Amino acid sequence: MTVTPIYAGLLALLYLALSARVVQMRGKGMPSLGDGGIEALQRRIRGHANFAEYVPLLLLLMGILELGQLPAPWVHAIGATLLVARLLHGYALSFSMYFKFGRFWGTLLTFVLLAACGVLCLCQSFAPFWLAPVA
């Protein structure tokens, strides 16, 4: 694999930034566990957790597609879209209170990627049966 590690590395750095935002706020006398009902902390926690909920599966699907010989430009398109989606969503939740554009488009792009990668994995899986000669 040569493409997926690029996006895995970039997304790891974004995850680190989202993690640091939560830790930074907790270090300012905020609750060390939970959110204490503090909206700003809730947003940071959800931004961090939402990333952790979606990105690993999408990176796994992306890696499977790359190993299955999906053309590199397609894998790059998936990775770049995932990175943009998670930047938009992460910024909307963790860094801003009023960036609805980022939350909407980050979510929509993530869901489109889930559907597309799922279908592509299924197609890749069944391709040998479709291409097999009929006896």
Side-chain angles (χ1 to χ4, degrees):
M1 278 195 295
T2 58
V3 178
T4 301
I6 295 167
Y7 297 99
L10 291 169
L11 288 160
L13 295 175
L14 178 55
Y15 188 65
L16 181 62
L18 293 171
S19 301
R21 298 273 298 162
V22 174
V23 170
Q24 175 190 39
M25 194 162 212
R26 290 193 188 285
K28 293 181 179 178
M30 297 291 176
S32 63
L33 186 61
D35 59 38
I38 302 161
E39 185 181 352
L41 184 54
Q42 290 170 355
R43 294 180 67 78
R44 290 182 188 197
I45 290 169
R46 282 310 309 149
H48 176 255
N50 188 276
F51 187 100
E53 293 162 0
Y54 287 100
V55 171
L57 177 59
L58 280 161
L59 281 173
L60 177 64
L61 294 170
M62 189 174 151
I64 289 168
L65 291 167
E66 183 175 5
L67 288 173
Q69 306 302 312
L70 187 70
W74 285 51
V75 181
H76 276 292
I78 292 166
T81 304
L82 178 58
L83 183 61
V84 167
R86 295 290 87 198
L87 281 167
L88 286 169
H89 196 270
Y91 180 79
L93 279 182
S94 186
F95 290 83
S96 169
M97 290 185 68
Y98 305 107
F99 190 53
K100 292 183 183 194
F101 174 89
R103 189 159 185 198
F104 174 81
W105 285 103
T107 300
L108 182 64
L109 288 172
T110 299
F111 287 175
V112 167
L113 282 175
L114 275 172
C117 289
V119 168
L120 285 170
C121 279
L122 288 170
C123 289
Q124 199 173 65
S125 173
F126 290 114
F129 299 110
W130 293 337
L131 301 175
V134 177

